[in-house]
Amino acid sequence: MTTAPQTAAPQAAAPQTTDDIDHVTAIRVLEAESVHIIREVVAELERPVLLFSGGKDSIVLLRLAEKAFRPAPLPFPIMHVDTGHNFGEVIEFRDRRVAPTADNPDGIELIVASVQESIDSGRVAESTDPSGSRNRLQTRTLLDALEKGGFDAAFGGARRDEERARAKERIFSFRDEFGQWDPRAQRPEPWSLYNGRIRRGESVRVFPLSNWTETDIWRYIELENLELPSIYFAGEREVFERDGILLSVSEFSQPRDGEEVTTEWVRYRTVGDLTITGAVRSRATTIPEIIAEISEATVSERGETRADDRTSSAAMEDRKREGYF
């Protein structure tokens, strides 16, 4: 089995077209909006944290946060809610991304909130999900970690185009003292004015990428030459099909009777618990090829590849009401 390269292959320089210029202008406008939102949160709230999964959206979000405060270091830590069922390539990338560099000798402060530790301490019960997914267990782990750290704001990389419950959410998404979300109790955000006032015990989730699309994310990755985990690029993997989703053979996801293992060229559109995150058949090994591929897609990345969002039409909204990302 072969694996894809860590980054997209270098592209030959091409003449810049009017479309290229328009795309860059649009991306820089989105960038400026997101940087403004991040700065507003740091100015209004006392102790923010950035939720980081090692996926493409959180990678872009982290770059935007760094840009918001350069040359100073990030004024807040990042947090990964670790299910323990991760793609190895993503964990390797995460640890490398936060390591000290010449530009940042102290590195980035990383908090790992472990679902396994929540299970071991009795905070949550081991999942009875036949798929082995720990996705629902993340909610308790996240809420405990936010409370332990005294965080009153958490940046997330969600976008409105991902899923209908995401589209209901404002950029500042307020949570009550139990970390729960009420879609009927959101505040207006006219003219990009954000009200960050909260009472003791309350918190806010903030989504600076709300107005971005999947294509915007990839264009920004290309523009900024951002490194990604290799699973975003096509390569050969052993997979099996379950409920219309291609799952990778791993320690945590094994085929059942009647599920045939095949070796196929695939890549991942989104990163998550590998027991429920599916691959898509693809030969796209460069960013331009990926952009062309998703431009023709008729299903969002979560709708196509996340089994947890298929349990009901309101699956994501139900989890968000409980305190999910």
Side-chain angles (χ1 to χ4, degrees):
M1 181 178 69
T2 61
T3 57
Q6 288 288 343
T7 56
Q11 299 297 301
Q16 195 172 49
T17 67
T18 301
D19 285 346
D20 293 332
I21 296 170
D22 290 344
H23 286 144
V24 170
T25 300
I27 292 300
R28 291 306 185 197
V29 169
L30 288 170
E31 177 189 62
E33 177 189 55
S34 298
V35 166
H36 165 69
I37 291 166
I38 293 168
R39 288 171 174 166
E40 282 290 298
V41 171
V42 172
E44 291 192 43
L45 281 300
E46 292 184 4
R47 186 157 165 74
V49 65
L50 188 149
L51 302 178
F52 185 81
S53 67
K56 65 184 186 306
D57 299 303
S58 63
I59 290 169
V60 167
L61 183 58
L62 180 54
R63 170 55 61 91
L64 292 167
E66 289 174 328
K67 282 196 169 189
F69 302 103
R70 282 179 173 171
L74 278 182
F76 45 75
I78 69 174
M79 178 189 293
H80 179 211
V81 180
D82 182 1
T83 66
H85 293 172
N86 300 288
F87 291 93
E89 299 95 323
V90 175
I91 296 301
E92 186 275 334
F93 171 85
R94 179 201 71 185
D95 293 342
R96 188 156 36 84
R97 181 64 177 84
V98 303
T101 63
D103 294 333
N104 184 11
D106 294 326
I108 299 171
E109 181 184 354
L110 170 67
I111 299 169
V112 177
S114 168
V115 171
Q116 184 60 55
E117 289 182 6
S118 296
I119 295 170
D120 294 342
S121 64
R123 292 293 290 165
V124 296
E126 180 67 90
S127 176
T128 58
D129 187 334
S131 71
S133 170
R134 291 179 168 182
N135 216 37
R136 279 192 172 274
L137 306 186
Q138 292 180 87
T139 299
R140 183 72 267 156
T141 303
L142 170 64
L143 294 176
D144 285 351
L146 292 176
E147 182 178 5
K148 179 179 179 180
F151 299 112
D152 56 2
F155 294 106
R159 309 184 321 267
R160 290 191 178 116
D161 74 325
E162 288 183 278
E163 202 273 342
R164 66 184 67 184
R166 304 272 200 210
K168 290 183 179 182
E169 210 155 20
R170 301 289 171 85
I171 291 175
F172 276 42
S173 177
F174 291 87
R175 307 302 173 103
D176 64 18
E177 62 271 27
F178 303 107
Q180 297 177 331
W181 174 62
D182 182 353
R184 299 168 300 179
Q186 299 191 81
R187 299 176 183 178
E189 296 175 342
W191 307 294
S192 299
L193 297 175
Y194 308 108
N195 180 357
R197 294 183 179 180
I198 56 174
R199 293 189 290 265
R200 184 181 298 276
E202 294 177 335
S203 62
V204 59
R205 309 282 171 85
V206 184
F207 303 108
L209 303 180
S210 288
N211 293 330
W212 296 55
T213 66
E214 184 181 7
T215 304
D216 293 330
I217 293 294
W218 279 104
R219 291 195 185 282
Y220 191 76
I221 289 168
E222 182 181 40
L223 186 61
E224 292 286 310
N225 194 28
L226 300 182
E227 185 181 0
L228 296 171
S230 60
I231 64 172
Y232 278 112
F233 301 97
E236 287 186 307
R237 277 183 177 266
E238 289 188 333
V239 296
F240 59 94
E241 187 167 340
R242 178 176 298 163
D243 299 327
I245 292 180
L246 289 176
L247 297 176
S248 181
V249 176
S250 72
E251 176 186 357
F252 307 108
S253 54
Q254 293 289 325
R256 300 170 185 164
D257 292 342
E259 295 176 340
E260 181 183 359
V261 174
T262 59
T263 300
E264 300 198 37
W265 274 82
V266 298
R267 70 175 192 86
Y268 289 82
R269 290 179 68 184
T270 183
V271 164
D273 187 325
L274 59 75
T275 63
I276 54 169
T277 302
V280 294
R281 293 181 176 89
S282 174
R283 291 275 181 169
T285 59
T286 67
I287 294 178
E289 290 173 345
I290 291 173
I291 291 174
E293 186 177 87
I294 62 176
S295 296
E296 298 177 357
T298 57
V299 183
S300 73
E301 65 259 48
R302 291 193 69 94
E304 183 176 23
T305 65
R306 293 296 289 271
D308 53 329
D309 288 341
R310 297 185 176 192
T311 56
S312 78
S313 60
M316 172 65 80
E317 183 165 333
D318 290 342
R319 294 199 303 277
K320 291 183 76 65
R321 286 175 182 270
E322 296 169 359
Y324 188 70
F325 305 146

